């Protein structure tokens, strides 16, 4: 739709892994664990025999094309997604995830239109799966709740870090490692961990949605510390082995923005660039780029300082005519404000009044982060805003922090960050001059009660360790969003807004105007901006969506 082409215009199709090699790994793993993995085997095989082994036919049938197919290896697509769109002519790359076919981590080099993998780690030894095992044990959903473990870690102490190093993972100086599979069940079972793991950590996994205790907080902090240790050692090894002064990163593990922030602060590389859709979603871009450059031999053009992801605004766009038609057909009360300055002035005033605004502009973000196109916005200065957004808008756990969007030109006035962070993939500390000192009576507070202590002049986006997952916003990449924050800055002296994804817990980000309106009406959001259209909750009729009013959320 965006490119104005059809399946008939497609010359080549690339898929992000080699399904037959992955099937080989699954069969070999089940045989190695037999007969213990029979239940998991019986669940997995029908899907493989019915669908996954026939991917070439399924792709052609569903796309409606007879174009040739290319199947790069999974970590080749991660590497391609990291290097090819980066603003760097020549660089090392490091990929870290759960598992592709056999590979769980790799590094190599990229130059011009070619990448080369130099070394790899292989299944079952996986930093991503180790982190997911602890995600499972702390009661969160695997392949979904890993960022919750990262967010929970600052509440705890690393009491179990040495236990992890002694019993679960042998970390070498180069960042490579071996895992003790006696404690894990993911090789061929239906769970991530086993009874021996439970015994090591003093009990069974936390039941999802039950109270979080100090144990879970300490475990989260411990696995986070171990993960950061591996990431730092790997990065140093890649620098030493390749001699490259710059590095590009991809794979689900590098969505761990705390680890990324430490690599950045350690100055291991002169410059790092991280694929914004670092997980498997980015494999689609990586596969296409691998085919375009490495298979077809097309030239790679690099613009120094400006990556090729276009701010990651690669999704669908809905113009004012389309939005207006939706509002008119649905008899949705609204106001059209064609003067951008007036619209931004109105929205800034709403935010200053501690109102929550749904913000829907331009092309949708590609990847897991809201970057100012499909966002829910709030006033970062408000001590109440984190609780309001978590409980009344997102319907999610109270401990989870929100990210700040800051004008790029003002970032060093608020955060300990000397590089751009346009994709919200680096954490940085709030500068000391913006912090609020913890009072003597508050120093004994522990656990989730820490969230109630304001830590800075922007308490709604400052975590309990004074860190923030920063998004820097520049005028060129997202001019409308930049102008809104600038307007807020002019009125308040603060160049920062809360930016969280436009969705509720367990659901994907909104894509269409209809999605946005439904989310707006099913939450306690105050205002919605759809392009040039301004909607107030107070003027809306009773909303009955596909399943009526929402009384519970999908667990994530």
């Amino acid at each position: 739709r965006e490119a104005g082409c059809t399946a008939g215009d497609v010359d080549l199709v690339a898929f992000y892994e080699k399904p037959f090699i992955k099937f080989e790994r699954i069969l070999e793993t089940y045989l190695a664990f037999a007969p213990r993995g029979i239940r998991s085997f019986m669940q997995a095989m029908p899907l493989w025999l019915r669908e996954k082994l026939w991917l070439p036919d399924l792709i052609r049938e569903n796309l409606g094309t007879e174009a040739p197919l290319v199947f790069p290896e999974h970590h080749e697509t991660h590497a391609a997604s990291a290097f090819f769109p980066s603003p760097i002519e020549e660089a090392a790359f490091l990929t870290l995830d759960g598992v592709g076919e056999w590979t769980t981590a790799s590094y190599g080099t990229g130059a011009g239109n070619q990448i080369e993998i130099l070394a790899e780690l292989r299944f079952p030894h996986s930093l991503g799966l180790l982190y997911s095992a602890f995600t499972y044990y702390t009661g969160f959903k695997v392949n979904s709740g890993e960022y919750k473990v990262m967010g929970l870690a600052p509440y705890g102490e690393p009491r179990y870090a040495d236990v992890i190093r002694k019993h679960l993972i042998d970390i070498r100086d180069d960042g490579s490692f071996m895992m003790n599979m006696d404690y894990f069940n993911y090789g061929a079972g239906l769970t991530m961990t086993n009874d021996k793991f439970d015994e090591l950590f003093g009990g069974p996994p936390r039941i999802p949605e039950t109270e979080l205790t100090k144990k879970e907080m300490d475990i989260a902090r411990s696995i986070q510390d171990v993960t950061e240790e591996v990431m730092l050692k790997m990065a140093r090894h890649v620098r030493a082995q390749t001699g490259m002064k710059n590095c590009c990163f991809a794979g689900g593990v590098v969505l761990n923005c705390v680890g990324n922030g430490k690599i950045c602060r350690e100055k291991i590389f002169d410059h790092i660039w991280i694929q914004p859709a670092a997980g498997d979603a980015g494999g689609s871009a990586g596969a296409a780029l691998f085919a375009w450059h490495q298979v077809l031999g097309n030239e790679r053009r690099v613009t120094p300082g400006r990556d090729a992801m276009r701010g990651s605004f690669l999704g669908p766009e809905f113009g004012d005519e389309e939005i207006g038609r939706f509002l008119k057909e649905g008899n949705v009360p609204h106001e059209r404000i064609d003067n951008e300055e007036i619209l931004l002035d109105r929205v800034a005033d709403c935010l200053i009044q501690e109102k929550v605004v749904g913000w829907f502009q331009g092309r949708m973000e590609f990847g897991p982060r809201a970057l100012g196109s499909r966002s829910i916005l709030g006033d970062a200065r408000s001590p109440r805003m984190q609780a309001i957004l978590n409980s009344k808008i997102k319907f999610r756990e109270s401990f989870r922090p929100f990210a700040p969007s800051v004008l790029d030109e003002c970032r060093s006035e608020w955060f300990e960050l000397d590089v751009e962070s346009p994709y919200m993939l680096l954490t940085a500390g709030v500068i000391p001059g913006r912090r609020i000192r913890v009072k003597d009576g508050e120093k004994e507070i522990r656990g989730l009660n820490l969230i109630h202590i304001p830590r800075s002049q922007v308490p709604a986006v400052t975590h309990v360790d004074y860190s923030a997952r920063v998004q820097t916003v520049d005028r060129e990449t997202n001019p409308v969003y930049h102008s809104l924050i600038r307007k807020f800055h002019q009125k308040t002296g603060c160049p920062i807004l809360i930016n969280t994804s436009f969705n509720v817990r367990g659901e994907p980000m909104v894509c269409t105007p209809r999605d946005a309106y439904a989310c707006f009406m099913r939450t306690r959001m105050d205002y919605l901006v759809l392009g040039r259209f301004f909607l107030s909750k107070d003027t809306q009729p009773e909303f009955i969506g596909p399943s009526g009013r929402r009384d519970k959320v999908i667990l994530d």
Side-chain angles (χ1 to χ4, degrees), residues 12 70 84 111-115 287-301:
L12 188 67
V70 177
F84 288 135
N113 67 348
Q114 297 289 307
I115 58 171
L289 289 163
F290 182 89
W292 180 253
H293 293 300
Q294 200 128 334
V295 175
L296 299 177
N298 287 293
E299 180 185 359
R300 175 174 173 256
R301 297 182 178 90

Side-chain angles (χ1 to χ4, degrees), residues 242-388:
T242 66
M244 295 286 185
K245 63 181 181 180
N246 302 313
C247 192
C248 305
F249 295 81
V253 172
V254 301
L255 291 172
N256 192 307
C257 53
V258 180
N260 298 340
K262 289 205 171 180
I263 291 172
C264 187
R265 288 191 293 278
E266 290 282 330
K267 304 294 184 184
I268 298 169
F269 297 98
D270 293 0
H271 180 61
I272 67 173
W273 189 83
I274 306 164
Q275 163 59 237
D280 283 357
S284 58
L289 289 163
F290 182 89
W292 180 253
H293 293 300
Q294 200 128 334
V295 175
L296 299 177
N298 287 293
E299 180 185 359
R300 175 174 173 256
R301 297 182 178 90
V302 176
T303 303
R306 185 62 58 184
D307 67 61
M309 290 297 290
R310 303 178 186 175
S312 210
F313 299 117
L314 303 178
E317 182 174 13
F318 302 86
D320 288 330
E321 182 179 339
E322 201 168 357
I323 295 171
R325 187 164 57 249
F326 159 71
L327 295 173
K328 184 177 180 181
E329 290 173 355
N331 293 317
V332 176
H334 64 273
E335 181 181 355
R336 177 167 180 151
I337 306 175
D338 286 319
N339 185 305
E340 184 177 285
E341 193 72 14
I342 294 174
L343 176 65
L344 298 181
D345 198 72
R346 174 87 65 88
V347 175
D349 285 342
C350 293
L351 292 166
I352 291 167
Q353 295 163 17
E354 287 192 303
K355 303 300 182 183
V356 179
V357 178
W359 182 253
F360 183 102
Q361 299 286 334
R363 294 187 67 169
M364 184 183 180
E365 299 90 339
F366 175 65
R369 310 291 190 217
L371 301 171
S373 186
R374 304 290 187 275
S375 293
I376 297 173
L377 307 178
D379 186 348
R381 302 170 304 152
S382 168
R384 303 170 47 237
M385 193 52 64
Q386 182 177 9
I388 291 170

Side-chain angles (χ1 to χ4, degrees), residues 428-460:
V430 175
I431 65 170
R434 302 286 184 180
R435 297 182 182 185
I436 295 175
R437 183 180 171 187
V438 177
K439 300 173 185 176
D440 289 341
E442 297 170 333
K443 290 180 179 178
E444 303 305 315
I445 295 175
R446 295 288 183 270
L448 297 187
N449 288 325
L450 289 169
I451 201 170
H452 303 301
I453 303 174
R455 300 279 168 162
S456 79
Q457 294 171 18
V458 281

Side-chain angles (χ1 to χ4, degrees), residues 528-544:
L528 172 62
V529 181
L530 296 170
R532 300 289 183 182
F533 298 89
F534 184 89
L535 286 68
S536 171
K537 179 65 66 64
D538 292 340
T539 64
Q540 301 304 310
E542 180 76 6
F543 176 74
I544 302 296

Side-chain angles (χ1 to χ4, degrees), residues 152-185:
L152 188 64
Y155 291 95
E157 301 295 331
R159 291 197 303 121
Y160 299 94
D162 287 341
V163 174
I164 295 170
R165 294 185 186 100
K166 180 178 179 180
H167 295 280
L168 302 186
I169 181 171
D170 178 20
I171 306 169
R172 286 78 183 267
D173 289 340
D174 63 0
S176 65
F177 55 86
M178 295 282 287
M179 289 170 59
N180 185 348
M181 295 308 296
D182 290 345
Y183 291 90
F184 300 95
N185 200 35

Side-chain angles (χ1 to χ4, degrees), residues 79-115:
S81 78
F83 174 67
F84 288 135
S86 76
I88 307 168
E89 187 67 47
E90 187 177 65
F93 61 76
L94 176 61
T95 68
L96 289 160
D97 70 357
V99 61
E101 297 87 0
W102 282 100
T103 305
T104 62
S106 75
Y107 77 82
T109 59
N113 67 348
Q114 297 289 307
I115 58 171

